[in-house]
Amino acid sequence: MYRSLCTMVDHTVSLLLSRWGTMQPQLAVLGTTGLQQHQGSQQNDSWLKGSILWNTPTHRRTVEKRTTRKFGAKNWGVVKGPQINKRIRVDNKTGEYFELGKLAPQTYKKVMEETRRIQKRMADTFGVGVPKDEEVLVVYKGEGSSVPSSIRVVEMEHERPAFFSQNLLQKEHGKQTGPQQTVKPSGLG
């Protein structure tokens, strides 16, 4: 208790002396240790005055801006990272996955096999190394058609596959059955 009382008096005296500025001779013995520490810290403090801010960034980015830079933002049109492909479907016939607008892999292989057969047959009809400068009509087994003399006919030995349409340049998406009528909504007025 005595020691804490002495330190409290010592600090009080050193504070008073530092505020008055000039030293009082009658108080010199009491306040020398606290005064020396306080004055020394004041002198050394002058070069440390701005040092707390030396290593601290003053213009910080917000958390939102930092995460936007790191991961991107969908509303800005920039997304960094994996995205879910919502255009993938399942082929009901083969049970395999495919992307909309593209063929399923097994169906694509079938089409390519048939295309290679047609190309081989065309090479046999035209000859190897001869330019193919005439129009070509592919006729499968069981099909017959009247063809003008300007069109070269390529005959295949097997029947037409179900996935190969008659006119490959113009795909038919279903036949219309009967006349179509516009259905008007009822109960609007």
Side-chain angles (χ1 to χ4, degrees), residues 47-182:
W47 67 277
L48 287 172
K49 212 165 208 171
S51 68
I52 295 171
L53 298 176
W54 283 351
N55 200 15
T56 307
T58 54
H59 301 291
R60 288 189 175 174
R61 289 190 179 96
T62 62
V63 175
E64 183 184 3
K65 284 186 181 180
R66 280 183 277 157
T67 54
T68 302
R69 291 178 118 214
K70 190 174 184 180
F71 301 112
K74 195 167 191 172
N75 58 346
W76 288 96
V78 179
V79 181
K80 301 174 183 177
Q83 290 184 339
I84 298 171
N85 189 351
K86 296 181 180 179
R87 296 176 45 89
I88 296 177
R89 302 290 186 267
V90 177
D91 189 5
N92 294 329
K93 293 177 183 173
T94 59
E96 58 187 343
Y97 295 100
F98 70 98
E99 191 173 351
L100 287 177
K102 298 180 181 177
L103 286 175
Q106 292 298 324
T107 311
Y108 183 73
K109 283 181 185 177
K110 288 180 190 175
V111 171
M112 288 307 295
E113 282 178 27
E114 188 61 30
T115 306
R116 285 195 185 95
R117 285 186 202 152
I118 292 172
Q119 288 172 345
K120 267 188 186 175
R121 196 71 178 153
M122 283 177 63
D124 294 342
T125 305
F126 278 98
V128 180
V130 179
K132 297 165 183 70
D133 54 355
E134 298 178 38
E135 287 189 35
V136 176
L137 178 66
V138 179
V139 177
Y140 285 90
K141 181 179 178 184
E143 295 178 1
S145 62
S146 60
V147 182
S149 61
S150 62
I151 295 177
R152 176 122 4 148
V153 177
V154 176
E155 294 180 2
M156 304 297 286
E157 290 100 21
H158 57 279
E159 292 183 2
R160 181 181 294 275
F163 56 85
F164 251 64
S165 65
Q166 185 74 25
N167 187 356
L168 295 176
L169 297 177
Q170 189 173 18
K171 181 75 174 169
E172 191 173 295
H173 290 288
K175 297 180 180 179
Q176 297 177 359
T177 56
Q180 288 186 342
Q181 296 177 353
T182 305

Side-chain angles (χ1 to χ4, degrees), residues 12-33:
T12 308
V13 169
S14 63
L15 267 169
L16 289 173
L17 287 177
S18 66
R19 287 194 180 172
W20 286 336
T22 57
M23 187 121 148
Q24 302 287 332
Q26 62 269 25
L27 298 174
V29 176
L30 292 174
T32 54
T33 58

